[in-house]
Every structure is written in C-alpha cells, then in structure tokens.
Amino acid sequence: MIKIRAKDLTIEEKAKLLIGKDFWRIDTLGGKIPDFLMNDGPVGIRQPRLSTNGVETVQPSIAYPSIQVLSQTWNEDLVYEMAKAIANDAIELETDIILAPGVNIKRLPHNGRNFEYVSEDPFLAGVMAKKYIEGIQDQKVGACLKHYAANNSEVSRNYKSMEIDERTLREIYLLPHEIATKAKPWLVMTAYNLVNGVRMSAHDKLYRILRNEFKFDGLIISDWGAVMNRTKSLKASLDLEMPYDKLHLEQLLDDIKNEKVDMEIVDASVNRIIDTAYKCEEMRKIRQINLSVEERYNIAEKVAEEGIVLLKNEDGALPLKKNEKVLVTGTAVDSYVFGGGSSQVTPREPFVKLIDSLKGEGLNVSYFRTMQFTAGAFTSITDLKGALNKIFIDDIDATIVTISQDNHAHSEFYNRQNLLLSNEQIDLIKEITYVSPKTIVVIYSGAPIEMNEWIDDVDAVLYVGYVGEKGNKAVAKILSGSVNPSGKLTETFPMFLEDVQAYHAYEDARVALYEEQLSVGYRQFVSENTPVLFPFGFGLSYSTFVYDNLKITKSGKEVDITLTLTNTSKIDGHEVAQVYVRERLPDVYRPLYELKGWKKVFLKAGETKTVSITLDQRSFSYYSLAHDDWHINENGQFSIYVSSSSIDIELFTHIKY
Ligand code: BGC
C-alpha cells in the first residue's frame, strides 16, 4: 500500500490534519489517513462515548490505584505490570493511545492533581514514568507523556507564567521528562501554563530541548484547549492541536496560504501526524489482549497491597488479631473514593466495601454509621453518641476510623485551600480516641493531609490514598496482617502546609515565581533540617530490617554499591533501600543530598540478601549554568547514604568521583 505523505495533500487538507477532528480523534481527510483514538489515563481508561441521543457516557473500565499509590510501591516491575494491564483495557476498548503518564513535580502539596502525578523527586518520577511507558507500548498501544512542563498548580493554569531559573528547570522540572523520554513515548503533551513568559503550547526553546537533547522524535500534542495561536504553536513545532477548534483552523489556513509559516514546518508536523496514524493502524493489527480481566484485577490489587503506606503503628496496634472486636466507622465505608478530572474512570465492577473485605479476612467486625456525606463535604456527624455507646456496650477492642478526601478536594481545575481535614472528621477521630481502647485511622486521600491535632492520640495510621475499585481488599489484608505493608511515601507529608517554602513564593494572577529554586520536597526539609510529619521515602513494615556491609567500587564512570539487608523479624516482608548522594564541598549550591537509586527487596523471615545498586555519572552531576551542561566538580568528594527513608540514614561512606 502506498502511504500518503504531506506532499500528496492540499493546503486545506494539511491544515485540517494539524487540528483534531473532534475531542479524541484526528481528521482522516475522508479516509485518506488512518484514524486513531486517544483516551485518558493514567489510572484506567476513560473513554467517553456519545449515544445516539447525544448524551455522553463514559465506558466502564477497571479503576486502578492512583499513580501516587503506584509510585509508593517503589516497584518498577509493578509499574510495568499495571501499565500493561491498562494497555489491555485500551485494546479491549479500541483505544490506540493512552494520555498518560503525568510526571509533573509535586511542588505544592495542595495542588489538585498530585494524585495523578508520581513524586516530588524528579529522578523517581522519571524512572517510574519510563517503566509505565514501556509497559503500555510493549503492548503496541501508544503512551503520551504529559504535561511538558511545569504544570504544578491547577489555579489559573491557562494564564500563569511559571518563572523558573534554568538550573531549577533542568534539575527539577525537565528531568522527569528527560528520563521518561528514553522509553520513546509516541506522544508528548504540552502543559497549559507558560514558562518564563512563553506558552508551553508554543515554547520554541523547550521543544528544541525536547527534540534535540532528549531526542524525542514523536508527536507533540497540545493539552486540550491549550493553544492560543495555532500558527505560533506550529512554528514552535507543536504538531497536533486538540481538540477541534473552528476559528483556529480558519486562521491557520489563512496563515499557510499567506506564507506566514514555512511549508517545510507545516509538512514536518503533518508527516509526524501521518506517521503516528500509520503506526496506530499497523499496531492495531498485531496487538492482542494477553491478560484476562481477572489477571488485571490481580495486578491492581497487588499495586494496592504494595503501595499503601503504614505511617504509624504504636505498640504493634496492627495487624488486628482475629479475637479482637473491631468497629468500622467514618467517611470511606459506603462508597468508592477517587480523584476527579480527566483521569476519573467509571469502574467496571461494583465497589468493594472495606467492611466486607475485613470480614473476608476472618476479622470480627461490625459497622456503625457516623458521618453524613453532603454535596462534596462531610458536613455532619450523624450519630457519634451511638458509636461511642456501641464501643462501650459491645466491648470493642479496636476502632477503625476511615477518613477521606475525594474528588471534590482532589481534582484537575483546583487546588485544595489547605491540607486540613474537615472539623467533623477531626472531631470524630478525637472523640473515638477518648473511648476506644485502640484507634486506627485509615486515610483515603490523593495527597498529604495535616494530622497535628490528633496524630499523638491514635494508635495506628494507614495511608491508603486512592486504591481503585477493589483496593479495599488490599486495605483489609494489611489491617489483618495477611499482607505485610511495604509502601513508602514518594512525597513529604509536611507538619504544616506553611512549612513548605514554595507555598510562600511570590504568586499573583499571572505569575508564579519559583523562588525556592531547588528546595522542593525533601530537598528543602533535609537541607534546612525542618521537622516533617512523615518524610519522603518513609513507610513502616510489620518486619524489622538491618542494613550492613556497605561496599562501594568505582568502575569507569559507574559506582557500584552493595550492602546486605537482613529481615530480623519472624514475618516475610519487603524493604526499600534508598541511596542518596551528597556533594561534601560543592562549588555551587546543592541540596544537602538527593535520591539517586533504590531497590525494593523481598526477604523471608530471618533471610539476608546482598543488594546492588549502580550509580552513573549523572548521579553526581548538577546542571551548571557556567557550562550550559551537566557537570561534575573535578575534585568532587561525595557521601553516599543508604537509607530506609530520606531522613533515616542506615549506612554511609565517602567517595571521590
Ligand atoms: C488534561 C489532560 C487530559 C486532557 C484530555 C486536560 O484537561 O489536562 O491531562 O489528558 O484534558 O482529557
């Protein structure tokens, strides 16, 4: 079959191809070019369809754990597996390209979309996103890395210029894209915001970095409605504007006719769209479903099991014992809790209730309703007295208080006002702690919350996040002890939102000044030694681990680290060993230390394993404005920290790189 090229098309046809046909597809020029269908990601497929009477409904598809929970597994193989499972859903729904993953840095803990993003750490975000893309694309479905770059807040995202100095841009905000691009995503989606005064939908300079330095040779696509001037964006090399926009099409056609844009530029973008269309057509013929629905649900459950984080466990409050009488109450017992916006999936099967899952684990549980959910807020406590009486009368041993913040708080289009729970939820926790012999707080939320008012009074805290439609099975398994928790945070839980430097940076309706520079997430807290509620990289296990025998050898440009990890408990478990690198006497400012590697290891009770982690040249470099490149201090002396969290250093050594 002879393939169409840009040269075979009229000017009108080229213009049509450069702007979507509708919301999710390209214009096939009456069948001249193969069609392709894009749908959101990243936590399942969201495929809206118009019925014959014009009503839009979203096709049911598996609702997986959020990307936040996925990243908390620190398990790259699981990231790959979940992406593969989602690609299987895509094949089933005939979706060619999944609009995921998102790698924007969690600069602000109250940003509404954080649950969709990987981390506050750019290295972790990049590595996880790379795996995610490989998981999708190995199934012959396309991935779309988003949002390039610096969409770190949902407030006025279409108008705000993110003012970022070049070093910070390179080290924090571009790095995840740089790493993830190595997986060769078919598409990259630009961000809504401006960076240093230029719209990301037409950012010549940053597109050149993407194409020439990061070697991205796929399609650059706009975020939905992000283009203001189609000709300008085309000149910058934005290939496809989404969705359809009549005025933009007319203007573009005029501009092409009047030679306001070179035909070479037009043709380059047109050809990239055509290439993507042919690629989709080819892949469609050979892609196959290779995971059953049940297998996909099992993967989702495994992600939840490894991604949920045990934050507090005083005196072995958890796991619950079979002979304990347990009461379940709070806000997350009756309905599925999830984040909102374009990643919102319509679950495929009925929601699995926590109480049923706990019963399935053989626990002696009962339920008492204490909260009334009204119009997006948990506004009233319905029967607190009744619950407290029940705890007395039934001689309850432990109360599980479920706490939630759902899509009304965590969503695209807005940020949270603060990190606080509602007063009603706080009151509920506190009242229960007065009477219940043991209080276990289980949190369903898309991002950190403040816990200062009650954390000291409760016995255990489990951070569940958004675990998907069947995630409560995993919650119950962790509470009952049939699964040993192994998730660790991939973002800092600050004590107070006000402790976050970026929160105080200058911001008005048009500008957000990234004054904190590299002091994002744990980089800020460890450098300043500011206490946090729970540090980046932290998570408890029912096992205990001992780190020992750190050895380090330099071979060429790589540094090989080995250590031994021993599970000193009687329970099998996973541990995540993290490696942070610190330059001891840097010539320029550097954060105190930064994550450069990790390994998640499974250890049977009593078992010892040798763990190896390799660091490369980049692990020691910073982006030098004097050299316009990544650079290592010639006489650089470095400390290597092996840690169980960003503040719990277990072993350390030094090296001259
Ligand atoms: C979001 C993108 C999403 C697109 C299509 C936009 O509002 O920012 O992440 O892929 O909509 O739904």
Side-chain angles (χ1 to χ4, degrees), residues 23-24 38-42 46 48 98-100 102 113 116-117 144 146-147 151 154 157 189-192 222-225 242 341-343 412-413:
F23 239 76
W24 309 108
M38 299 171 274
N39 285 130
D40 281 300
R46 188 176 73 93
I98 303 173
L99 301 173
R113 272 186 111 165
E116 285 187 63
Y117 297 145
C144 174
K146 62 191 189 182
H147 309 89
N151 184 176
E154 288 302 296
R157 64 179 182 182
M189 186 190 293
T190 69
Y192 283 113
S222 74
D223 199 342
W224 268 229
M242 287 302 292
S342 59
S343 67
E412 196 173 333
F413 312 120

Side-chain angles (χ1 to χ4, degrees), residues 638-655:
F638 295 89
S639 298
I640 310 278
Y641 298 140
V642 177
S643 308
S644 53
S645 85
S646 59
I647 63 169
D648 297 297
I649 297 169
E650 307 280 347
L651 304 168
F652 66 91
T653 185
H654 308 297
I655 182 178

Side-chain angles (χ1 to χ4, degrees), residues 317-453:
L318 289 176
L320 294 163
K321 289 163 205 72
K322 298 261 156 57
N323 60 0
E324 283 180 298
K325 268 192 180 172
V326 182
L327 181 76
V328 180
T329 190
T331 56
V333 278
D334 293 333
S335 56
Y336 167 50
V337 188
F338 52 89
S342 59
S343 67
Q344 193 173 315
V345 173
T346 301
R348 183 172 179 141
E349 290 185 6
F351 158 70
V352 173
K353 288 189 177 185
L354 179 60
I355 183 90
D356 296 335
S357 304
L358 288 166
K359 283 181 185 157
E361 287 298 307
L363 291 171
N364 179 1
V365 275
S366 56
Y367 162 61
F368 198 92
R369 187 178 171 81
T370 42
M371 279 274 169
Q372 177 71 42
F373 178 86
T374 331
F378 300 102
T379 47
S380 54
I381 298 181
T382 49
D383 190 5
L384 180 58
K385 222 167 160 196
L388 302 181
N389 276 338
K390 188 172 167 60
I391 291 171
F392 274 127
I393 294 162
D394 288 359
D395 220 0
I396 291 293
D397 298 302
T399 307
I400 296 174
V401 187
T402 63
I403 288 301
S404 56
Q405 279 191 342
D406 64 4
N407 55 327
H408 296 89
H410 300 256
S411 177
E412 196 173 333
F413 312 120
Y414 42 81
N415 292 351
R416 281 180 297 167
Q417 296 292 316
N418 51 51
L419 308 185
L420 297 170
L421 290 175
S422 66
N423 289 335
E424 291 79 3
Q425 297 202 63
I426 294 173
D427 285 349
L428 177 69
I429 297 172
K430 292 185 93 155
E431 293 290 334
I432 298 274
T433 61
Y434 297 142
V435 294
S436 178
K438 196 152 98 177
T439 306
I440 291 140
V441 177
V442 178
I443 301 168
Y444 298 71
S445 159
I449 55 165
E450 286 178 22
M451 305 179 194
N452 306 300
E453 285 183 69

